[in-house]
């Protein structure tokens, strides 16, 4: 089922582009009016929230707080109130930690918004407004297609909010809207061209006892998700960090042959990631890079490289850069 669901992503992403306009618009209005915004979820859905916090900030200039559901009450329980707007993201709409956070927020009279895949779930019943992501049932334990759909919905919300707030030029918004429409085709391209190579990588690295995933900016969320897939499915311990933070301790783990997966789209962080890669290379790490097609600078530094089609804008990059990582986890599991 995991493989089937990974391959479904080009069509689920198409479905996610056909959501009901009125609910997206209503949710955008709530976000626009909000005093403070929290994005609350568990596991993979939390990683979607983390990526979304970059989208909202970069496009709509809206600061949001992505919070792990099981920490929400401890961290913000006393401060959330009637002025807080909380977007709960849950594929199933039934995750106990997420619903516990939601119950607390309801008691404090906060505005509850929901993003879920299951109509009729508790999350849809308790939300002031909800959006259904339309990914179809997810049977596999590992969340795959539902993650990329969540990201697509969250990007649509961020774009709508940016438009409403007039923070970004209409030329840029139109460019990003057009790119979002192309994402399903890009996903299809990756699924057609990369699996053979990723299978070979899994064979090459399957004996490694531990992996390191690194990315900067929005790609730090992609790194966390890639790492979660690997440990959840292949039972291989893995660590993920924002690349800039890796030198504050975790770098001491690196020795000759330690496998490092860098997620490195050609965005504003590119130059800094190159210097992180050189740092790790100097310590003898084996460098696997997920980068843009034809990024010769990175290809020269990499031991192995997975290429993603050109021209994916930064805020949409997690939707496509995560797909090779899902496949890598799947093939690594088969090798164990
Ligand atoms: O249904 P939810 O989105 O609320 O589920 C949250 C997590 O339990 C879920 O994403 C879990 O982490 C996945 N199995 C990860 O692949």
């Amino acid at each position: 089922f995991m493989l089937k669901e990974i391959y479904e992503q080009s069509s689920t992403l198409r479905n996610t582009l056909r959501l009901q306009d009125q609910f997206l618009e209503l949710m955008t209005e709530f976000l626009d009016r909000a005093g403070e915004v929290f994005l609350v979820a568990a596991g993979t859905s939390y990683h979607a929230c983390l990526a979304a916090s970059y989208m909202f900030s970069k496009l709509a200039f809206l600061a949001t707080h992505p919070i792990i559901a099981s920490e929400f009450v401890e961290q913000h329980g006393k401060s959330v109130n009637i002025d807080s707007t909380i977007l709960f993201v849950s594929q199933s709409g039934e995750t106990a930690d997420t619903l516990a956070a939601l119950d607390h927020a309801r008691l404090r009279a906060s505005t509850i918004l929901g993003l879920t895949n299951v109509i009729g779930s508790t999350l849809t019943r308790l939300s002031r407004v909800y959006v259904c992501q339309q990914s179809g049932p997810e049977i596999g334990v590992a969340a795959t297609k539902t993650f990329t759909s969540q990201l697509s919905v969250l990007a649509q919300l961020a774009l709508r909010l940016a438009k409403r707030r007039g923070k970004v030029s209409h030329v840029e918004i139109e460019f990003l809207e057009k790119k979002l429409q192309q994402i399903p085709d890009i996903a299809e391209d990756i699924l057609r061209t990369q699996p053979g190579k990723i299978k070979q990588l899994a064979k090459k690295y399957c004996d490694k006892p531990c992996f390191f995933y690194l990315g900067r900016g929005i790609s730090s969320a992609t790194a966390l998700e890639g790492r979660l897939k690997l440990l959840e499915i292949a039972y291989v311990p893995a660590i993920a960090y924002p690349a800039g933070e890796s030198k504050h301790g975790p770098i001491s783990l690196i020795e000759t042959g330690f496998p490092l997966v860098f997620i490195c789209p050609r965005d504003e962080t590119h130059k800094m990631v190159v210097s992180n890669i050189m740092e790790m290379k100097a310590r003898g790490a084996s460098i696997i890079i997920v980068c843009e097609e034809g990024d010769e600078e990175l290809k020269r530094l990499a031991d192995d490289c997975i290429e993603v089609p050109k021209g994916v804008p930064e805020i949409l990059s997690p939707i496509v850069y995560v797909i090779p990582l899902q496949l890598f986890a799947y093939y690594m599991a088969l090798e164990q």
Side-chain angles (χ1 to χ4, degrees):
F1 277 107
M2 180 179 178
L3 191 61
K4 172 181 174 284
E5 287 162 2
I6 290 174
Y7 273 89
E8 274 172 16
Q9 287 177 110
S10 48
S11 78
T12 49
L13 283 164
R14 276 188 196 101
N15 289 340
T16 305
L17 292 172
R18 294 191 212 106
L19 299 181
Q20 278 185 303
D21 206 57
Q22 80 231 54
F23 298 119
L24 283 173
E25 208 42 47
L26 201 52
M27 196 173 278
T28 307
E29 200 174 318
F30 273 106
L31 291 170
D32 193 24
R33 281 200 233 135
E36 58 175 358
V37 178
F38 294 91
L39 308 171
V40 178
T44 289
S45 298
Y46 167 71
H47 298 152
C49 290
L50 192 58
S53 68
Y54 289 85
M55 297 174 185
F56 284 121
S57 166
K58 285 184 178 253
L59 289 178
F61 297 9
L62 172 73
T64 56
H65 310 285
I67 310 286
I68 290 176
S70 56
E71 287 298 315
F72 180 73
V73 175
E74 283 301 315
Q75 207 175 347
H76 296 285
K78 289 268 194 302
S79 65
V80 281
N81 57 40
I82 198 162
D83 294 323
S84 316
T85 295
I86 309 173
L87 173 55
F88 290 93
V89 179
S90 171
Q91 186 281 126
S92 59
E94 300 293 352
T95 296
D97 288 332
T98 307
L99 295 182
L102 192 157
D103 273 344
H104 181 89
R106 278 175 78 215
L107 288 174
R108 310 271 308 177
S110 305
T111 301
I112 311 293
L113 308 176
L115 168 56
T116 182
N117 193 29
V118 182
I119 295 185
S121 61
T122 308
L123 180 54
T124 61
R125 283 189 283 106
L126 299 180
S127 298
R128 187 88 174 265
V129 186
Y130 70 83
V131 171
C132 180
Q133 61 186 76
Q134 319 265 33
S135 323
E138 190 165 65
I139 312 293
V141 167
T144 52
K145 63 175 180 172
T146 54
F147 177 64
T148 47
S149 290
Q150 284 167 347
L151 291 170
S152 169
V153 177
L154 292 162
Q156 290 175 60
L157 286 169
L159 277 167
R160 277 172 189 256
L161 192 57
K163 216 180 213 171
R164 175 183 280 256
R165 294 185 153 195
K167 297 286 188 191
V168 176
S169 79
H170 72 95
V171 178
E172 191 175 343
I173 303 258
E174 277 158 27
F175 169 77
L176 290 169
E177 284 173 344
K178 201 166 135 215
K179 285 288 175 187
L180 190 60
Q181 297 293 328
Q182 294 168 359
I183 292 291
D185 291 338
I186 297 175
E188 200 169 305
D189 191 298
I190 296 169
L191 289 165
R192 202 183 52 246
T193 58
Q194 299 301 310
K197 183 160 196 192
I198 297 170
K199 211 181 226 171
Q200 290 310 315
L201 281 186
K203 283 195 190 306
K204 176 171 172 188
Y205 288 99
C206 62
D207 293 334
K208 298 286 180 186
C210 184
F211 280 73
F212 214 146
Y213 285 73
L214 294 172
R216 269 187 115 105
I218 200 167
S219 297
S220 59
T222 317
L224 281 168
E225 178 57 11
R227 166 250 190 180
L228 176 60
K229 290 297 88 110
L230 185 72
L231 60 86
E232 185 181 28
I233 291 303
Y235 308 157
V236 176
I239 308 157
Y241 267 90
E245 184 66 7
S246 62
K247 59 183 171 296
H248 301 290
I251 196 166
S252 60
L253 281 177
I254 305 302
E255 54 184 21
T256 306
F258 195 108
L260 250 149
V261 182
F262 274 95
I263 295 91
C264 190
R266 210 190 276 272
D267 60 20
E268 285 167 15
T269 70
H270 189 273
K271 205 167 151 201
M272 286 179 289
V273 180
V274 169
S275 85
N276 292 134
I277 294 172
M278 296 209 293
E279 240 163 43
M280 296 299 186
K281 223 177 146 55
R283 290 175 179 240
S286 295
I287 310 283
I288 305 164
I289 300 184
V290 187
C291 65
E292 192 177 271
E293 218 168 42
D295 189 334
E296 298 306 326
E297 185 182 11
L298 288 185
K299 281 164 78 180
R300 271 195 299 276
L301 292 172
D303 291 282
D304 290 287
C305 175
I306 306 167
E307 290 177 80
V308 163
K310 275 190 179 150
V312 179
E314 179 183 6
I315 66 134
L316 303 179
S317 62
I319 310 179
V320 291
Y321 279 71
V322 77
I323 296 175
L325 305 180
Q326 296 169 341
L327 285 166
F328 183 62
Y330 172 80
Y331 288 120
M332 283 286 287
L334 294 189
E335 291 296 331
Q336 299 303 306

XYZ file of all heavy atoms in Angstrom, residues 12-53:
327
model
N -3.423 12.392 -6.666
C -4.002 13.022 -5.452
C -3.677 14.520 -5.439
O -4.488 15.342 -5.011
C -3.493 12.349 -4.157
O -2.069 12.243 -4.203
C -4.085 10.972 -3.964
N -2.487 14.865 -5.946
C -2.139 16.294 -5.986
C -3.051 17.043 -6.971
O -3.418 18.185 -6.738
C -0.667 16.481 -6.355
C 0.304 16.204 -5.204
C 1.733 16.030 -5.706
C 0.248 17.319 -4.162
N -3.449 16.360 -8.033
C -4.410 16.995 -8.971
C -5.733 17.223 -8.259
O -6.337 18.293 -8.377
C -4.620 16.121 -10.208
C -3.555 16.374 -11.225
C -3.751 15.722 -12.582
N -2.462 15.795 -13.224
C -1.580 14.800 -13.318
N -1.889 13.589 -12.867
N -0.406 14.990 -13.868
N -6.186 16.226 -7.504
C -7.466 16.385 -6.782
C -7.410 17.536 -5.792
O -8.382 18.263 -5.610
C -7.817 15.108 -5.997
C -8.208 13.993 -6.923
O -8.568 14.244 -8.077
N -8.142 12.771 -6.445
N -6.259 17.675 -5.155
C -6.128 18.712 -4.129
C -6.161 20.114 -4.744
O -6.360 21.096 -4.047
C -4.836 18.445 -3.311
O -4.914 17.122 -2.820
C -4.689 19.368 -2.145
N -5.981 20.174 -6.043
C -6.074 21.490 -6.703
C -7.515 21.833 -7.071
O -7.785 22.894 -7.598
C -5.203 21.514 -7.968
C -3.699 21.450 -7.708
C -2.935 21.292 -9.010
C -3.232 22.705 -6.974
N -8.420 20.880 -6.772
C -9.827 21.148 -7.135
C -10.693 21.247 -5.885
O -11.793 20.707 -5.844
C -10.361 20.003 -8.001
C -9.682 19.907 -9.340
C -10.433 18.930 -10.240
N -9.511 18.262 -11.126
C -9.118 17.002 -11.001
N -9.586 16.248 -10.034
N -8.259 16.482 -11.860
N -10.179 21.889 -4.854
C -10.951 21.980 -3.603
C -12.026 23.035 -3.740
O -11.962 23.909 -4.604
C -10.027 22.374 -2.450
C -8.891 21.421 -2.150
C -8.081 21.930 -0.988
C -9.417 20.030 -1.841
N -13.007 22.945 -2.822
C -14.093 23.934 -2.898
C -13.595 25.301 -2.466
O -13.121 25.487 -1.338
C -15.250 23.458 -2.051
C -16.102 22.452 -2.817
C -17.316 22.065 -2.040
O -17.196 21.591 -0.913
N -18.471 22.274 -2.612
N -13.745 26.189 -3.402
C -13.259 27.539 -3.247
C -13.767 28.235 -1.985
O -13.020 28.895 -1.266
C -13.758 28.293 -4.496
C -12.882 29.450 -4.814
O -11.692 29.203 -5.005
O -13.406 30.572 -4.825
N -15.078 28.042 -1.707
C -15.668 28.837 -0.619
C -15.051 28.502 0.741
O -14.914 29.381 1.591
C -17.200 28.678 -0.587
C -17.706 27.434 0.074
C -18.690 26.704 -0.818
O -18.408 26.379 -1.984
N -19.862 26.420 -0.280
N -14.627 27.232 0.935
C -14.051 26.875 2.240
C -12.622 27.398 2.381
O -12.214 27.830 3.449
C -14.125 25.357 2.461
C -15.543 24.862 2.473
C -15.986 23.945 1.539
C -16.452 25.354 3.394
C -17.304 23.520 1.531
C -17.778 24.935 3.402
C -18.210 24.011 2.454
N -11.899 27.337 1.271
C -10.533 27.896 1.300
C -10.604 29.399 1.576
O -9.822 29.943 2.367
C -9.837 27.678 -0.045
C -9.310 26.278 -0.337
C -8.798 26.198 -1.767
C -8.182 25.908 0.621
N -11.576 30.043 0.961
C -11.710 31.494 1.103
C -12.091 31.847 2.543
O -11.541 32.777 3.142
C -12.770 31.981 0.104
C -12.622 33.393 -0.374
C -11.207 33.851 -0.695
O -10.470 33.129 -1.379
O -10.838 34.952 -0.221
N -13.019 31.074 3.092
C -13.474 31.324 4.467
C -12.323 31.127 5.454
O -12.108 31.926 6.374
C -14.602 30.337 4.779
C -15.549 30.688 5.913
C -16.107 32.087 5.730
C -16.710 29.676 5.940
N -11.563 30.069 5.226
C -10.434 29.811 6.127
C -9.395 30.933 6.010
O -8.830 31.382 7.008
C -9.802 28.454 5.818
C -8.911 28.006 6.946
S -8.282 26.350 6.753
C -9.608 25.341 7.329
N -9.183 31.392 4.793
C -8.233 32.495 4.576
C -8.693 33.735 5.364
O -7.881 34.432 5.979
C -8.158 32.835 3.070
O -7.884 31.633 2.358
C -7.082 33.851 2.776
N -10.009 33.947 5.369
C -10.541 35.110 6.085
C -10.263 34.985 7.593
O -9.832 35.940 8.236
C -12.041 35.172 5.821
C -12.622 36.536 6.086
C -14.082 36.558 5.651
O -14.408 36.010 4.579
O -14.879 37.121 6.425
N -10.477 33.801 8.135
C -10.203 33.588 9.566
C -8.718 33.822 9.868
O -8.372 34.416 10.880
C -10.598 32.170 9.981
C -12.042 32.052 10.372
C -12.956 31.431 9.540
C -12.497 32.570 11.577
C -14.291 31.319 9.894
C -13.832 32.463 11.943
C -14.737 31.833 11.097
N -7.862 33.332 8.979
C -6.415 33.491 9.217
C -6.022 34.959 9.143
O -5.188 35.443 9.913
C -5.609 32.676 8.197
C -5.711 31.153 8.337
C -5.082 30.456 7.133
C -5.037 30.679 9.626
N -6.660 35.671 8.232
C -6.335 37.087 8.048
C -6.707 37.900 9.285
O -5.992 38.813 9.689
C -7.080 37.595 6.806
C -6.562 38.949 6.364
O -5.398 39.271 6.698
O -7.305 39.680 5.700
N -7.846 37.522 9.899
C -8.356 38.282 11.048
C -7.670 37.911 12.358
O -7.844 38.565 13.363
C -9.832 37.911 11.258
C -10.791 38.572 10.356
C -12.142 38.473 11.053
N -13.136 37.887 10.170
C -13.983 36.946 10.525
N -13.969 36.432 11.736
N -14.865 36.496 9.669
N -6.940 36.797 12.357
C -6.465 36.214 13.617
C -5.486 37.114 14.371
O -4.660 37.793 13.757
C -5.784 34.886 13.313
N -5.592 37.092 15.716
C -4.623 37.794 16.552
C -3.304 37.031 16.549
O -2.227 37.576 16.359
N -3.398 35.730 16.776
C -2.213 34.860 16.702
C -2.661 33.532 16.102
O -3.810 33.128 16.275
C -1.583 34.647 18.090
C -2.530 34.054 19.097
C -1.870 33.740 20.434
O -0.656 33.955 20.572
O -2.589 33.259 21.328
N -1.744 32.884 15.391
C -2.111 31.636 14.704
C -1.180 30.506 15.137
O 0.046 30.643 15.106
C -2.040 31.797 13.165
C -2.368 30.483 12.467
C -2.988 32.898 12.689
N -1.794 29.388 15.541
C -1.031 28.173 15.844
C -1.368 27.123 14.792
O -2.505 27.060 14.326
C -1.422 27.626 17.219
C -1.029 28.527 18.357
C -1.914 29.485 18.825
C 0.223 28.422 18.938
C -1.547 30.323 19.876
C 0.594 29.260 19.979
C -0.292 30.216 20.453
N -0.377 26.319 14.452
C -0.592 25.193 13.530
C -0.259 23.949 14.337
O 0.894 23.752 14.728
C 0.336 25.306 12.318
C 0.327 26.650 11.561
C 1.443 26.696 10.526
C -1.021 26.904 10.902
N -1.270 23.145 14.631
C -1.072 22.064 15.606
C -1.326 20.700 14.960
O -2.346 20.512 14.283
C -2.016 22.277 16.820
C -1.864 21.146 17.836
C -1.728 23.623 17.482
N -0.421 19.766 15.172
C -0.545 18.442 14.545
C 0.478 17.482 15.140
O 1.352 17.892 15.916
C -0.315 18.570 13.037
N 0.364 16.217 14.735
C 1.322 15.195 15.184
C 2.007 14.564 13.971
O 1.455 14.556 12.867
C 0.579 14.112 15.961
N 3.200 14.033 14.204
C 3.906 13.229 13.196
C 4.087 13.962 11.871
O 4.493 15.130 11.812
N 3.755 13.251 10.812
C 3.907 13.819 9.468
C 3.091 15.099 9.304
O 3.541 16.065 8.671
C 3.469 12.755 8.440
O 4.465 11.736 8.443
C 3.339 13.316 7.049
N 1.901 15.122 9.886
C 1.059 16.331 9.756
C 1.753 17.521 10.423
O 1.609 18.662 9.977
C -0.314 16.088 10.387
O -0.969 15.048 9.720
N 2.518 17.247 11.486
C 3.277 18.338 12.111
C 4.350 18.859 11.135
O 4.589 20.063 11.045
C 3.924 17.866 13.428
C 4.951 18.845 13.927
C 4.575 20.082 14.452
C 6.316 18.569 13.819
C 5.519 21.015 14.864
C 7.272 19.488 14.227
C 6.861 20.709 14.740
O 7.806 21.627 15.128
N 4.963 17.961 10.407
C 5.978 18.416 9.436
C 5.337 19.299 8.359
O 5.952 20.256 7.886
C 6.698 17.216 8.798
C 7.447 16.407 9.814
N 7.698 15.070 9.665
C 7.980 16.764 11.023
C 8.362 14.630 10.720
N 8.541 15.634 11.551
N 4.092 18.968 7.991
C 3.378 19.833 7.027
C 3.168 21.219 7.656
O 3.312 22.249 6.987
C 2.046 19.201 6.641
N 2.851 21.234 8.950
C 2.646 22.529 9.641
C 3.944 23.339 9.672
O 3.944 24.557 9.487
C 2.163 22.302 11.070
S 0.486 21.680 11.147
N 5.042 22.634 9.923
C 6.337 23.318 9.974
C 6.642 23.961 8.608
O 7.019 25.134 8.524
C 7.408 22.280 10.338
C 8.772 22.790 10.732
C 8.683 23.735 11.924
C 9.687 21.602 11.096
N 6.437 23.206 7.549
C 6.654 23.772 6.199
C 5.698 24.942 5.974
O 6.084 25.981 5.422
C 6.447 22.680 5.142
N 4.455 24.785 6.440
C 3.458 25.848 6.219
C 3.852 27.142 6.925
O 3.559 28.235 6.436
C 2.090 25.379 6.703
N 4.540 27.019 8.047
C 4.923 28.248 8.763
C 5.884 29.087 7.897
O 5.851 30.314 7.949
C 5.526 27.927 10.130
O 6.769 27.283 9.977
